[in-house]
Amino acid sequence: MMAMTHALAGLVLAALAVVVGGDPATVAVMGLAGSLFPDLDIYAGHRKTLHYPVYGWIPAGGAVALAVAVPTNATVALATFLVAVALHPVMDIYGGGLELRPWEGRSERAVYSHYHGRWLAPKRLVPYDGSPHDLGTAAVLAVPAMTLPDPVPAFALALLAVGAVYVALRKRLAAVWSALARALPEPVAQHVPARFFE
Ligand SMILES: [Zn+2]
């Protein structure tokens, strides 16, 4: 799923964290940060290095238990961050595979599971990132963010707007990325993942 959908899922967790007493501004930032964190591996072992669909729930579960036992701003914020980090790769499983043009459905690699020691196949409930289904998912996930204080609702709507533009341009962007990758000088190009040259 696209970054905007992940970010809005982070805000859903933030809205839940507020219900159990989290500071709204802090948990909103932590939910966003946690939901985007796994994709920092985009150029280095994408969907493997920082994606832990099973093991991610061990620290997340521990942090939730701690937040329930000792509910403070810090423990609730930590739990929000770690649950968002754990949720991200699970969402990726329900999207498309890892390839430049995921609408072609040629990749059977959604997310690497270090627990299983192999790649998990994409379930394609959301057929690919940047698909109309992805935007629909983002729109539903944006609803709980409306309960958070300003400027979070406006920010969530901005994420949706950026998502709508991304969805409209998604297939053309793949062609742009491919052309850019091919235009790179060799010393730089060797650091670009192979899928960009597909
Ligand atoms: Zn991801």
Side-chain angles (χ1 to χ4, degrees):
M1 275 159 250
M2 58 183 174
M4 286 64 81
T5 308
H6 283 298
L8 288 164
L11 291 180
V12 172
L13 297 177
L16 290 172
V18 168
V19 173
V20 297
D23 169 60
T26 310
V27 294
V29 170
M30 294 306 263
L32 285 172
S35 66
L36 297 175
F37 176 79
D39 278 345
L40 291 179
D41 67 13
I42 190 156
Y43 295 113
H46 189 33
R47 298 200 191 166
K48 180 174 181 181
T49 310
L50 295 177
H51 286 60
Y52 293 86
V54 178
Y55 288 140
W57 294 101
I58 296 173
V64 169
L66 179 67
V68 169
V70 190
T72 67
N73 273 343
T75 55
V76 173
L78 179 69
T80 306
F81 178 81
L82 290 174
V83 171
V85 169
L87 179 64
H88 174 121
V90 174
M91 286 174 66
D92 280 345
I93 295 171
Y94 291 93
L98 188 56
E99 55 189 314
L100 186 63
R101 299 176 196 84
W103 50 90
E104 293 176 353
R106 290 184 298 134
S107 170
E108 285 309 305
R109 293 180 165 197
V111 171
Y112 188 84
S113 168
H114 296 80
Y115 170 77
H116 294 90
R118 62 178 168 82
W119 287 87
L120 303 180
K123 295 192 187 291
R124 298 194 174 97
L125 211 62
V126 166
Y128 59 92
D129 83 278
S131 61
H133 298 70
D134 199 357
L135 187 59
T137 306
V140 172
L141 293 177
V143 175
M146 299 303 136
T147 65
L148 292 165
D150 285 335
V152 180
F155 183 72
L157 292 175
L159 284 172
L160 265 186
V162 173
V165 173
Y166 178 73
V167 168
L169 299 178
R170 179 65 176 92
K171 294 190 177 178
R172 263 172 283 179
L173 282 173
V176 171
W177 286 325
S178 174
L180 280 176
R182 283 168 214 280
L184 288 172
E186 180 54 30
V188 183
Q190 54 182 277
H191 297 289
V192 176
R195 68 179 180 280
F196 287 99
F197 298 94
E198 283 172 8

mmCIF file of all heavy atoms in Angstrom, residues 82 94 106 163 179 192:
data_model
loop_
_atom_site.group_PDB
_atom_site.id
_atom_site.type_symbol
_atom_site.label_atom_id
_atom_site.label_comp_id
_atom_site.label_asym_id
_atom_site.label_seq_id
_atom_site.Cartn_x
_atom_site.Cartn_y
_atom_site.Cartn_z
ATOM 1 N N LEU A 82 5.475 1.252 18.215
ATOM 2 C CA LEU A 82 5.858 -0.127 17.920
ATOM 3 C C LEU A 82 4.718 -0.933 17.290
ATOM 4 O O LEU A 82 4.963 -1.796 16.446
ATOM 5 C CB LEU A 82 6.380 -0.813 19.194
ATOM 6 C CG LEU A 82 7.746 -0.284 19.657
ATOM 7 C CD1 LEU A 82 8.140 -0.906 20.994
ATOM 8 C CD2 LEU A 82 8.842 -0.557 18.612
ATOM 9 N N TYR A 94 -1.286 -7.685 2.392
ATOM 10 C CA TYR A 94 -2.597 -7.592 1.738
ATOM 11 C C TYR A 94 -2.566 -6.742 0.472
ATOM 12 O O TYR A 94 -3.571 -6.547 -0.191
ATOM 13 C CB TYR A 94 -3.651 -7.098 2.738
ATOM 14 C CG TYR A 94 -3.928 -8.151 3.781
ATOM 15 C CD1 TYR A 94 -3.231 -8.165 4.984
ATOM 16 C CD2 TYR A 94 -4.832 -9.170 3.521
ATOM 17 C CE1 TYR A 94 -3.443 -9.172 5.914
ATOM 18 C CE2 TYR A 94 -5.055 -10.178 4.434
ATOM 19 C CZ TYR A 94 -4.358 -10.182 5.633
ATOM 20 O OH TYR A 94 -4.559 -11.193 6.538
ATOM 21 N N ARG A 106 3.198 -9.948 -11.306
ATOM 22 C CA ARG A 106 4.184 -10.979 -11.652
ATOM 23 C C ARG A 106 5.037 -11.399 -10.456
ATOM 24 O O ARG A 106 5.720 -12.411 -10.504
ATOM 25 C CB ARG A 106 5.080 -10.478 -12.791
ATOM 26 C CG ARG A 106 4.336 -10.365 -14.124
ATOM 27 C CD ARG A 106 5.263 -9.971 -15.248
ATOM 28 N NE ARG A 106 5.856 -8.665 -15.035
ATOM 29 C CZ ARG A 106 7.146 -8.392 -15.199
ATOM 30 N NH1 ARG A 106 7.974 -9.338 -15.560
ATOM 31 N NH2 ARG A 106 7.590 -7.172 -15.013
ATOM 32 N N GLY A 163 -2.534 11.296 -1.923
ATOM 33 C CA GLY A 163 -2.809 9.923 -2.359
ATOM 34 C C GLY A 163 -3.605 9.898 -3.659
ATOM 35 O O GLY A 163 -3.330 9.098 -4.544
ATOM 36 N N ALA A 179 12.801 5.240 -16.472
ATOM 37 C CA ALA A 179 13.633 6.077 -17.345
ATOM 38 C C ALA A 179 14.755 6.741 -16.535
ATOM 39 O O ALA A 179 15.905 6.805 -16.984
ATOM 40 C CB ALA A 179 12.764 7.144 -18.019
ATOM 41 N N VAL A 192 21.047 1.175 -7.131
ATOM 42 C CA VAL A 192 19.593 1.228 -7.303
ATOM 43 C C VAL A 192 19.077 -0.204 -7.439
ATOM 44 O O VAL A 192 19.633 -0.991 -8.201
ATOM 45 C CB VAL A 192 19.219 2.062 -8.563
ATOM 46 C CG1 VAL A 192 17.708 2.027 -8.800
ATOM 47 C CG2 VAL A 192 19.707 3.494 -8.393
#
